[in-house]
Amino acid sequence: MTVLTTSKPTTDFSSDPMLPVWAEILKIEQEAPGVYTYWLKFTDPEVQKNYSFQPGQFNLLTIPGYGEAALSISSHPNNKEAIGHTIRLTGNVTNAIDRLGVGGKLGLRGPFGSAWPLEQLKGRDIYIAAGGIGLPPLRPVIYQIMDNREDYGKVVVIYGARTPEDLQFTAEYDDWEAKDIEMMVCVDSCDDTWTGLVGVVPMLFYSLRLDPKKSALMTCGPEIMIRFAAYEAIARRVPRDRIFVSLEKNMKCGFGSCGHCQLGPYFVCKDGPVFSYEQIGPYLEVEDF
Ligand SMILES: Cc1cc2nc3c(=O)[nH]c(=O)nc-3n(C[C@H](O)[C@H](O)[C@H](O)COP(=O)(O)OP(=O)(O)OC[C@H]3O[C@@H](n4cnc5c(N)ncnc54)[C@H](O)[C@@H]3O)c2cc1C
């Protein structure tokens, strides 16, 4: 199964894919300690009107003097008012974005990269496995499925975080479940107030009644989690071309020109970040990909 790839921004708001366009931070919402959703709007209304993305794609956000970071889009693809990025503050750029605050302006290039193959997976049971900051790139998938719920079979979100406080988007879980999306949530460690599951994401596959003929997996999170979630699906005979992973790799240009994010024969920025396991599996076996 092929995955949609885009080698340049799908929104033709600039003839030069290296040229950022200004956007303003409208709102900031805390999701977990050190994790915030930044709602952005282009300063040019025409650019805002024409911008569109597909679930799984990312933007490159630029702060002059600090640099650029690849960040997945975590908002609803049909939201024409603002673009949401859910960001863990890790280093130079992400902390500089946070310091801008509401009303601050930053540069945006995008959207770049491949999308989750939602269209091709219609009729399938969908398993979404995410760890930590791996959930934001999958949230647009959940929204798209909710809008077209009858197009899919069983839908299960398997999500793990370090502690209950680190779980993201918790205020939305009831809405997701109301759309017949099963939530399996686990944490690595907790105190006595946590009544949910304790463990790691791949372990939750043990209790799944997964029909390999019907099922597909989409997974994003720490590389070790991705690898083991894929192994668990393969062990249950889900074909490798129905397992999809989204990879994080340091990147610069965003469209396969600079080579920073090369992984085997692929550029993660333009051939990914979403790959089928059939494509990328052999390269994930190599230590320190
Ligand atoms: C396609 C794609 C999508 C992504 N989507 C998201 C997303 O939705 N949300 C999100 O939060 N992240 C996402 N990322 C990850 C994000 O791009 C990186 O975390 C990025 O490096 C952040 O930029 P930064 O300048 O803030 O951090 P950097 O300064 O580049 O730091 C990144 C990491 O390096 C470590 N580090 C920094 N400086 C040092 C040092 N001197 N010594 C040792 N370690 C150091 C930091 O602790 C941190 O772990 C995505 C990445 C890709 C490729």
Side-chain angles (χ1 to χ4, degrees):
M1 181 178 287
T2 48
V3 173
L4 169 84
T5 60
T6 51
S7 57
K8 61 185 176 63
T10 50
T11 305
D12 188 22
F13 55 70
S14 157
S15 55
D16 181 353
M18 287 302 287
L19 201 63
V21 177
W22 288 109
E24 182 178 336
I25 301 176
L26 292 183
K27 192 166 68 163
I28 303 174
E29 292 173 319
Q30 181 161 26
E31 306 293 354
V35 179
Y36 300 86
T37 298
Y38 300 83
W39 290 96
L40 310 179
K41 189 167 193 154
F42 291 104
T43 52
D44 180 342
E46 200 55 29
V47 173
Q48 183 66 39
K49 199 175 88 193
N50 292 329
Y51 181 90
S52 67
F53 74 95
Q54 297 179 58
Q57 291 193 293
F58 64 94
N59 290 318
L60 284 151
L61 300 189
T62 309
I63 307 288
Y66 289 90
E68 230 179 5
L71 294 153
S72 302
I73 307 159
S74 66
S75 52
H76 197 305
N78 295 348
N79 182 348
K80 298 301 275 178
E81 297 303 311
I83 304 158
H85 281 286
T86 303
I87 304 177
R88 170 170 288 151
L89 307 184
T90 48
N92 265 336
V93 177
T94 49
N95 280 298
I97 292 171
D98 192 60
R99 282 196 300 274
L100 286 176
V102 172
K105 292 193 178 65
L106 46 74
L108 186 155
R109 297 195 288 129
F112 291 107
S114 57
W116 301 102
L118 275 163
E119 197 58 35
Q120 292 103 303
L121 295 179
K122 281 186 174 167
R124 302 274 178 202
D125 289 348
I126 306 290
Y127 291 85
I128 294 169
I133 199 73
L135 190 57
L138 283 159
R139 187 165 70 155
V141 168
I142 296 170
Y143 291 148
Q144 197 126 309
I145 289 176
M146 286 168 80
D147 288 352
N148 303 280
R149 187 64 190 85
E150 62 291 349
D151 288 343
Y152 301 92
K154 192 170 163 176
V155 180
V156 182
V157 173
I158 306 158
Y159 177 46
R162 282 191 198 136
T163 71
E165 293 71 39
D166 292 310
L167 292 167
Q168 295 156 26
F169 313 132
T170 46
E172 297 184 22
Y173 297 173
D174 285 348
D175 293 344
W176 299 356
E177 284 175 319
K179 280 282 187 178
D180 196 22
I181 295 176
E182 188 184 333
M183 295 294 297
M184 295 175 77
V185 177
C186 65
V187 297
D188 296 352
S189 61
C190 58
D191 62 21
D192 292 346
T193 57
W194 174 252
T195 54
L197 301 166
V198 179
V200 291
V201 164
M203 264 174 55
L204 302 194
F205 280 74
Y206 302 169
S207 60
L208 292 179
R209 298 242 178 280
L210 183 155
D211 178 351
K213 289 196 201 75
K214 291 167 64 184
S215 300
L217 170 68
M218 302 187 210
T219 182
C220 184
E223 80 182 58
I224 186 134
M225 189 223 80
I226 290 182
R227 227 186 288 166
F228 280 94
Y231 288 163
E232 292 298 338
I234 291 164
R236 284 159 185 77
R237 301 180 181 229
V238 177
R240 283 171 165 78
D241 66 358
R242 254 190 270 133
I243 297 172
F244 298 92
V245 305
S246 180
L247 300 183
E248 273 190 18
K249 205 143 193 325
N250 279 339
M251 52 181 65
K252 294 281 179 215
C253 71
F255 48 90
S257 180
C258 72
H260 273 84
C261 63
Q262 192 164 5
L263 179 59
Y266 300 113
F267 294 106
V268 174
C269 66
K270 88 173 168 70
D271 303 315
V274 178
F275 293 94
S276 77
Y277 201 77
E278 187 171 49
Q279 284 175 293
I280 210 72
Y283 306 100
L284 297 186
E285 312 292 330
V286 180
E287 273 309 309
D288 200 22
F289 74 89

